Amino acid sequence: MFNALNALSALVRSSESDKALGAIEKLSELLRYALSSGEKTWVSMEEEIRFVQDYLSLQKLRFGDRMQVQILGAEDKVLACSCPPLLLQPLMENALRHDLECYKGVGDIVLAFHYSERGLRCIVSNPVHEGLTVKAGFGLGLKTLRARLASLYQGRARLHTAIEAGRFGVELFLPREHQCSGCC
């Protein structure tokens, strides 16, 4: 939120009012979703992905063309699935933190979906930059997400992290029994 506001203030100072107005609209949509989803247990993956795209558009103001993000596999069956609100944004924020915030080159963040009869896999990955120091956070993002998944899915959802082929990945598995907004 604070990074978005700082990027907005820079746009206003640089007289890029059209960009600033567009960013204010995106920020408004983010806040609206965050507030309304706080009252819901489930949202569609389509809503969640739209929220992430709005979040990323604001981060683009900060990182510019360095920010390269791919969203793969967001087909109709995936979009119709249900998920807890604010599921993906902390993972994308974590990827940005460990890629673009500590690395001056072009980023390479991937959000990929894989639907199967058993459930939905969501994978967020970013490169591991050897020798670069990342500012330590509180380590609450993944811990909090694990706790939410355990509570909502009674232990049937999984969150797994790994480093493979020079990339850090977070894999979520959401079981099918909670995917009932049209893809079951």
Side-chain angles (χ1 to χ4, degrees):
M1 182 67 65
F2 292 111
N3 290 331
L5 290 172
N6 288 333
L8 278 170
S9 66
L11 285 175
V12 170
R13 279 193 290 270
S14 69
S15 300
E16 295 187 62
S17 60
D18 288 343
K19 282 185 180 179
L21 288 172
I24 289 169
E25 287 176 27
K26 291 293 182 193
L27 183 57
S28 174
E29 290 170 21
L30 281 176
L31 291 172
R32 187 175 296 109
Y33 180 80
L35 290 173
S36 69
S37 67
E39 299 174 1
K40 300 176 184 177
T41 305
W42 306 103
V43 296
S44 72
M45 189 57 76
E46 182 174 15
E47 292 171 286
E48 188 68 8
I49 292 171
R50 190 175 323 117
F51 177 74
V52 165
Q53 289 170 327
D54 288 344
Y55 167 77
L56 291 172
S57 71
L58 288 175
Q59 291 300 322
K60 187 88 169 169
L61 294 174
R62 181 176 173 207
F63 295 112
D65 291 336
R66 291 181 50 228
M67 191 177 94
Q68 299 297 312
V69 177
Q70 296 180 70
I71 299 177
L72 308 172
E75 58 193 39
D76 289 343
K77 283 185 175 185
V78 169
L79 297 176
C81 290
S82 297
C83 69
L86 305 174
L87 176 75
L88 300 175
Q89 185 276 335
L91 300 178
M92 298 304 287
E93 183 176 7
N94 191 56
L96 286 170
R97 179 181 183 91
H98 291 278
D99 188 4
L100 293 174
E101 282 187 16
C102 68
Y103 178 66
K104 297 301 177 202
V106 176
D108 176 23
I109 298 168
V110 177
L111 169 58
F113 298 95
H114 305 279
Y115 176 82
S116 73
E117 292 302 315
R118 292 182 47 233
L120 180 64
R121 285 179 39 227
C122 309
I123 302 166
V124 176
S125 70
N126 59 274
V128 174
H129 302 289
E130 296 296 329
L132 295 179
T133 304
V134 177
K135 291 182 282 184
F138 295 107
L140 297 176
L142 294 178
K143 184 178 179 179
T144 303
L145 186 51
R146 274 191 179 97
R148 283 181 66 211
L149 292 172
S151 172
L152 290 168
Y153 291 94
Q154 293 81 43
R156 292 185 305 278
R158 292 187 308 276
L159 186 149
H160 174 72
T161 61
I163 296 176
E164 293 180 19
R167 295 184 70 81
F168 177 81
V170 178
E171 180 178 329
L172 292 172
F173 172 76
L174 308 177
R176 183 175 176 186
E177 58 266 17
H178 285 289
Q179 308 302 321
C180 297
S181 65
C183 67
C184 295

